[in-house]
Amino acid sequence: MLIAKRLATLTTGLVLGLLSEHASAQNGWPAPVAMKGTIPNNPIAQTLDPALIRRQSDNKLFLYTTGKNGSVWTANSLYGPWTHEGTAKFREYGGAPSIHRIGDTYYVYINNHEFDYSTVGVTDPAIHTWAHNSSLLVASSKTLEIGDWKWHGRLEIDWAKRYNILDAALLTIEEGGKRRNLLSFGSYQQGIFQLPLADPPIKIADGANKNINHLANNKTSAFPNGPTEAAYIFKWQDWYYLFTSSGRCCKQPDGHWVDRGDVYKVMVCRSKRPGGGFVDDKGVDCANNSGGKEILGTHNNIWAPGGQGVLVDDEAGGPIIYYHYVPYDVQSKTPANEFRFGWNKLDFSSGWPVVAK
Ligand SMILES: *[C@@H]1O[C@H](CO)[C@@H](O)[C@H](O)[C@H]1NC(C)=O
Ligand SMILES: *[C@@H]1O[C@H](CO)[C@@H](O)[C@H](O)[C@H]1NC(C)=O
Ligand SMILES: *[C@@H]1O[C@H](CO)[C@@H](O)[C@H](O)[C@H]1NC(C)=O
Ligand SMILES: *[C@@H]1O[C@H](CO)[C@@H](O)[C@H](O)[C@H]1NC(C)=O
């Protein structure tokens, strides 16, 4: 997620300021599942950019976030009670953690918003702006505990001014005894990209910079450089599903939110292969033709849901989508000044994910 206050240069003159109420029907989207503990209903529960994972050894859930300096929560049940464990040391870099397990090891990817690309020979002056100076860092752990991450440094993804290198998510595919690690990332400006990582996935694969796929983009956006970010690819039965967050995550630099149709919402595209060919439910190409099926948007007292991930969990009896959202006061028509964590089951029976009660 690219934090709004850092986007002054991109957004000048584009702020709408007023929240129009005409917009979207409620679409029958359910409220997030009720939970106990410090999530929800607690002011420290700033769960921006959640990454949710269950530890294999004892089934304990870990929720890493960007919010409040990288707050981390744990629970034994998805329904809570959730306990605030403290803060990860990621925030100093930028956040948006994404955590994945391969065998007995967990990997986290986080945004580092201020890498100096001149140190690797890039001369374009754009490298010194927020929209272009992000990079991704990777760490690994056997325990998921806050203090137990080993850092492996920066992923050496080629800087190119057409995208911002942030918001990673890993897809691991096992095929005939071989493992492929594909990292999606990006980008705010030109959508979602993907490249192969090595195995273990602590650096890019040999030749990966010549093999970057473009998976999704929104050229119809009300904003130049259409904002699409926070990708998550999830395989279910015969399909690869690409979940993205489209629109503005956060308030604009002047403190206003943009119109409800242009704030974060969760889009899905699908393909039979992981590296491209993603289309929406109408067959519209998501990379070249701005396709995308909206599966969760602003509704009732939920504002700007996004930053999503997918987890298959026995307790929930299958796949769930988890996300952050902003509580919205329907009476005063005001989004709150905080981010909360929510999750719901996903029903894939139609071939497309439906957010279920
Ligand atoms: C976050 O970290 C900054 C810098 O270390 C500190 O000033 C601030 O109080 C911290 N905020 C919270 C909510 O912990
Ligand atoms: C990143 O961008 C910000 C905002 O433009 C700038 O202040 C900062 O110096 C940049 N950092 C680097 C290392 O380029
Ligand atoms: C593209 O952006 C427009 C304007 O914000 C929005 O209405 C539309 O839903 C977006 N489409 C996708 C696929 O993200
Ligand atoms: C989008 O366009 C590129 C370049 O023309 C092409 O290689 C790719 O196959 C297209 N994507 C889809 C999903 O058709």
Side-chain angles (χ1 to χ4, degrees), residues 113-116 127-130 133:
H113 276 296
E114 281 208 50
F115 181 67
D116 185 349
I127 57 174
H128 297 298
T129 62
W130 283 118
N133 69 13

mmCIF file with all atom_site columns, all heavy atoms in Angstrom, residues 113-116 127-130 133, ligand 2:
data_model
loop_
_atom_site.group_PDB
_atom_site.id
_atom_site.type_symbol
_atom_site.label_atom_id
_atom_site.label_alt_id
_atom_site.label_comp_id
_atom_site.label_asym_id
_atom_site.label_entity_id
_atom_site.label_seq_id
_atom_site.pdbx_PDB_ins_code
_atom_site.Cartn_x
_atom_site.Cartn_y
_atom_site.Cartn_z
_atom_site.occupancy
_atom_site.B_iso_or_equiv
_atom_site.pdbx_formal_charge
_atom_site.auth_seq_id
_atom_site.auth_comp_id
_atom_site.auth_asym_id
_atom_site.auth_atom_id
_atom_site.pdbx_PDB_model_num
ATOM   1  N N   . HIS A 1 113 ? 10.249 1.850  1.655  1.00 0.00 ? 113 HIS A N   1
ATOM   2  C CA  . HIS A 1 113 ? 9.839  2.962  0.809  1.00 0.00 ? 113 HIS A CA  1
ATOM   3  C C   . HIS A 1 113 ? 10.958 3.897  0.379  1.00 0.00 ? 113 HIS A C   1
ATOM   4  O O   . HIS A 1 113 ? 10.735 4.816  -0.370 1.00 0.00 ? 113 HIS A O   1
ATOM   5  C CB  . HIS A 1 113 ? 8.745  3.778  1.486  1.00 0.00 ? 113 HIS A CB  1
ATOM   6  C CG  . HIS A 1 113 ? 7.387  3.186  1.262  1.00 0.00 ? 113 HIS A CG  1
ATOM   7  N ND1 . HIS A 1 113 ? 6.824  3.088  0.013  1.00 0.00 ? 113 HIS A ND1 1
ATOM   8  C CD2 . HIS A 1 113 ? 6.499  2.634  2.112  1.00 0.00 ? 113 HIS A CD2 1
ATOM   9  C CE1 . HIS A 1 113 ? 5.635  2.513  0.105  1.00 0.00 ? 113 HIS A CE1 1
ATOM   10 N NE2 . HIS A 1 113 ? 5.416  2.217  1.362  1.00 0.00 ? 113 HIS A NE2 1
ATOM   11 N N   . GLU A 1 114 ? 12.139 3.705  0.896  1.00 0.00 ? 114 GLU A N   1
ATOM   12 C CA  . GLU A 1 114 ? 13.178 4.673  0.547  1.00 0.00 ? 114 GLU A CA  1
ATOM   13 C C   . GLU A 1 114 ? 14.490 4.017  0.168  1.00 0.00 ? 114 GLU A C   1
ATOM   14 O O   . GLU A 1 114 ? 15.514 4.250  0.781  1.00 0.00 ? 114 GLU A O   1
ATOM   15 C CB  . GLU A 1 114 ? 13.424 5.635  1.723  1.00 0.00 ? 114 GLU A CB  1
ATOM   16 C CG  . GLU A 1 114 ? 12.374 6.696  1.785  1.00 0.00 ? 114 GLU A CG  1
ATOM   17 C CD  . GLU A 1 114 ? 12.905 7.973  2.415  1.00 0.00 ? 114 GLU A CD  1
ATOM   18 O OE1 . GLU A 1 114 ? 13.982 8.451  1.990  1.00 0.00 ? 114 GLU A OE1 1
ATOM   19 O OE2 . GLU A 1 114 ? 12.244 8.453  3.341  1.00 0.00 ? 114 GLU A OE2 1
ATOM   20 N N   . PHE A 1 115 ? 14.452 3.194  -0.863 1.00 0.00 ? 115 PHE A N   1
ATOM   21 C CA  . PHE A 1 115 ? 15.726 2.668  -1.351 1.00 0.00 ? 115 PHE A CA  1
ATOM   22 C C   . PHE A 1 115 ? 16.332 3.691  -2.306 1.00 0.00 ? 115 PHE A C   1
ATOM   23 O O   . PHE A 1 115 ? 15.627 4.290  -3.123 1.00 0.00 ? 115 PHE A O   1
ATOM   24 C CB  . PHE A 1 115 ? 15.535 1.325  -2.058 1.00 0.00 ? 115 PHE A CB  1
ATOM   25 C CG  . PHE A 1 115 ? 16.827 0.759  -2.546 1.00 0.00 ? 115 PHE A CG  1
ATOM   26 C CD1 . PHE A 1 115 ? 17.799 0.337  -1.648 1.00 0.00 ? 115 PHE A CD1 1
ATOM   27 C CD2 . PHE A 1 115 ? 17.088 0.688  -3.914 1.00 0.00 ? 115 PHE A CD2 1
ATOM   28 C CE1 . PHE A 1 115 ? 19.021 -0.161 -2.092 1.00 0.00 ? 115 PHE A CE1 1
ATOM   29 C CE2 . PHE A 1 115 ? 18.304 0.183  -4.368 1.00 0.00 ? 115 PHE A CE2 1
ATOM   30 C CZ  . PHE A 1 115 ? 19.269 -0.236 -3.459 1.00 0.00 ? 115 PHE A CZ  1
ATOM   31 N N   . ASP A 1 116 ? 17.644 3.878  -2.211 1.00 0.00 ? 116 ASP A N   1
ATOM   32 C CA  . ASP A 1 116 ? 18.324 4.829  -3.093 1.00 0.00 ? 116 ASP A CA  1
ATOM   33 C C   . ASP A 1 116 ? 18.824 4.080  -4.340 1.00 0.00 ? 116 ASP A C   1
ATOM   34 O O   . ASP A 1 116 ? 19.885 3.450  -4.326 1.00 0.00 ? 116 ASP A O   1
ATOM   35 C CB  . ASP A 1 116 ? 19.491 5.480  -2.351 1.00 0.00 ? 116 ASP A CB  1
ATOM   36 C CG  . ASP A 1 116 ? 20.140 6.570  -3.187 1.00 0.00 ? 116 ASP A CG  1
ATOM   37 O OD1 . ASP A 1 116 ? 19.820 6.668  -4.401 1.00 0.00 ? 116 ASP A OD1 1
ATOM   38 O OD2 . ASP A 1 116 ? 20.972 7.300  -2.643 1.00 0.00 ? 116 ASP A OD2 1
ATOM   39 N N   . ILE A 1 127 ? 13.662 8.407  -9.299 1.00 0.00 ? 127 ILE A N   1
ATOM   40 C CA  . ILE A 1 127 ? 13.952 7.442  -8.221 1.00 0.00 ? 127 ILE A CA  1
ATOM   41 C C   . ILE A 1 127 ? 13.915 8.078  -6.840 1.00 0.00 ? 127 ILE A C   1
ATOM   42 O O   . ILE A 1 127 ? 13.893 7.368  -5.839 1.00 0.00 ? 127 ILE A O   1
ATOM   43 C CB  . ILE A 1 127 ? 15.325 6.752  -8.404 1.00 0.00 ? 127 ILE A CB  1
ATOM   44 C CG1 . ILE A 1 127 ? 16.444 7.786  -8.492 1.00 0.00 ? 127 ILE A CG1 1
ATOM   45 C CG2 . ILE A 1 127 ? 15.297 5.833  -9.605 1.00 0.00 ? 127 ILE A CG2 1
ATOM   46 C CD1 . ILE A 1 127 ? 17.840 7.164  -8.518 1.00 0.00 ? 127 ILE A CD1 1
ATOM   47 N N   . HIS A 1 128 ? 13.911 9.408  -6.783 1.00 0.00 ? 128 HIS A N   1
ATOM   48 C CA  . HIS A 1 128 ? 13.884 10.058 -5.472 1.00 0.00 ? 128 HIS A CA  1
ATOM   49 C C   . HIS A 1 128 ? 12.497 10.548 -5.092 1.00 0.00 ? 128 HIS A C   1
ATOM   50 O O   . HIS A 1 128 ? 12.354 11.445 -4.272 1.00 0.00 ? 128 HIS A O   1
ATOM   51 C CB  . HIS A 1 128 ? 14.910 11.188 -5.421 1.00 0.00 ? 128 HIS A CB  1
ATOM   52 C CG  . HIS A 1 128 ? 16.318 10.686 -5.594 1.00 0.00 ? 128 HIS A CG  1
ATOM   53 N ND1 . HIS A 1 128 ? 16.904 9.805  -4.707 1.00 0.00 ? 128 HIS A ND1 1
ATOM   54 C CD2 . HIS A 1 128 ? 17.233 10.890 -6.568 1.00 0.00 ? 128 HIS A CD2 1
ATOM   55 C CE1 . HIS A 1 128 ? 18.125 9.506  -5.114 1.00 0.00 ? 128 HIS A CE1 1
ATOM   56 N NE2 . HIS A 1 128 ? 18.346 10.140 -6.254 1.00 0.00 ? 128 HIS A NE2 1
ATOM   57 N N   . THR A 1 129 ? 11.461 9.966  -5.679 1.00 0.00 ? 129 THR A N   1
ATOM   58 C CA  . THR A 1 129 ? 10.088 10.321 -5.300 1.00 0.00 ? 129 THR A CA  1
ATOM   59 C C   . THR A 1 129 ? 9.397  9.082  -4.728 1.00 0.00 ? 129 THR A C   1
ATOM   60 O O   . THR A 1 129 ? 9.746  7.942  -5.071 1.00 0.00 ? 129 THR A O   1
ATOM   61 C CB  . THR A 1 129 ? 9.290  10.835 -6.512 1.00 0.00 ? 129 THR A CB  1
ATOM   62 O OG1 . THR A 1 129 ? 9.204  9.788  -7.481 1.00 0.00 ? 129 THR A OG1 1
ATOM   63 C CG2 . THR A 1 129 ? 9.949  12.048 -7.131 1.00 0.00 ? 129 THR A CG2 1
ATOM   64 N N   . TRP A 1 130 ? 8.405  9.332  -3.886 1.00 0.00 ? 130 TRP A N   1
ATOM   65 C CA  . TRP A 1 130 ? 7.721  8.221  -3.211 1.00 0.00 ? 130 TRP A CA  1
ATOM   66 C C   . TRP A 1 130 ? 7.098  7.242  -4.192 1.00 0.00 ? 130 TRP A C   1
ATOM   67 O O   . TRP A 1 130 ? 7.015  6.051  -3.909 1.00 0.00 ? 130 TRP A O   1
ATOM   68 C CB  . TRP A 1 130 ? 6.607  8.744  -2.308 1.00 0.00 ? 130 TRP A CB  1
ATOM   69 C CG  . TRP A 1 130 ? 7.099  9.315  -1.032 1.00 0.00 ? 130 TRP A CG  1
ATOM   70 C CD1 . TRP A 1 130 ? 6.958  10.599 -0.600 1.00 0.00 ? 130 TRP A CD1 1
ATOM   71 C CD2 . TRP A 1 130 ? 7.812  8.629  0.006  1.00 0.00 ? 130 TRP A CD2 1
ATOM   72 N NE1 . TRP A 1 130 ? 7.534  10.756 0.630  1.00 0.00 ? 130 TRP A NE1 1
ATOM   73 C CE2 . TRP A 1 130 ? 8.072  9.560  1.020  1.00 0.00 ? 130 TRP A CE2 1
ATOM   74 C CE3 . TRP A 1 130 ? 8.256  7.316  0.155  1.00 0.00 ? 130 TRP A CE3 1
ATOM   75 C CZ2 . TRP A 1 130 ? 8.754  9.219  2.184  1.00 0.00 ? 130 TRP A CZ2 1
ATOM   76 C CZ3 . TRP A 1 130 ? 8.940  6.982  1.314  1.00 0.00 ? 130 TRP A CZ3 1
ATOM   77 C CH2 . TRP A 1 130 ? 9.175  7.933  2.313  1.00 0.00 ? 130 TRP A CH2 1
ATOM   78 N N   . ASN A 1 133 ? 10.425 5.197  -5.319 1.00 0.00 ? 133 ASN A N   1
ATOM   79 C CA  . ASN A 1 133 ? 11.618 4.775  -4.573 1.00 0.00 ? 133 ASN A CA  1
ATOM   80 C C   . ASN A 1 133 ? 11.367 3.641  -3.571 1.00 0.00 ? 133 ASN A C   1
ATOM   81 O O   . ASN A 1 133 ? 12.142 3.443  -2.652 1.00 0.00 ? 133 ASN A O   1
ATOM   82 C CB  . ASN A 1 133 ? 12.373 5.967  -3.964 1.00 0.00 ? 133 ASN A CB  1
ATOM   83 C CG  . ASN A 1 133 ? 11.642 6.663  -2.829 1.00 0.00 ? 133 ASN A CG  1
ATOM   84 O OD1 . ASN A 1 133 ? 10.673 6.151  -2.306 1.00 0.00 ? 133 ASN A OD1 1
ATOM   85 N ND2 . ASN A 1 133 ? 12.139 7.834  -2.461 1.00 0.00 ? 133 ASN A ND2 1
HETATM 86 C C1  . LIG B 2 .   ? 12.072 8.906  -1.579 1.00 0.00 ? 2   LIG B C1  1
HETATM 87 O O1  . LIG B 2 .   ? 11.066 9.848  -1.926 1.00 0.00 ? 2   LIG B O1  1
HETATM 88 C C2  . LIG B 2 .   ? 10.846 10.867 -0.968 1.00 0.00 ? 2   LIG B C2  1
HETATM 89 C C3  . LIG B 2 .   ? 9.661  11.731 -1.409 1.00 0.00 ? 2   LIG B C3  1
HETATM 90 O O2  . LIG B 2 .   ? 9.850  12.272 -2.676 1.00 0.00 ? 2   LIG B O2  1
HETATM 91 C C4  . LIG B 2 .   ? 12.107 11.689 -0.786 1.00 0.00 ? 2   LIG B C4  1
HETATM 92 O O3  . LIG B 2 .   ? 11.897 12.665 0.223  1.00 0.00 ? 2   LIG B O3  1
HETATM 93 C C5  . LIG B 2 .   ? 13.228 10.764 -0.353 1.00 0.00 ? 2   LIG B C5  1
HETATM 94 O O4  . LIG B 2 .   ? 14.439 11.496 -0.273 1.00 0.00 ? 2   LIG B O4  1
HETATM 95 C C6  . LIG B 2 .   ? 13.392 9.640  -1.368 1.00 0.00 ? 2   LIG B C6  1
HETATM 96 N N1  . LIG B 2 .   ? 14.431 8.736  -0.882 1.00 0.00 ? 2   LIG B N1  1
HETATM 97 C C7  . LIG B 2 .   ? 15.373 8.259  -1.684 1.00 0.00 ? 2   LIG B C7  1
HETATM 98 C C8  . LIG B 2 .   ? 16.393 7.393  -1.000 1.00 0.00 ? 2   LIG B C8  1
HETATM 99 O O5  . LIG B 2 .   ? 15.419 8.459  -2.880 1.00 0.00 ? 2   LIG B O5  1
#
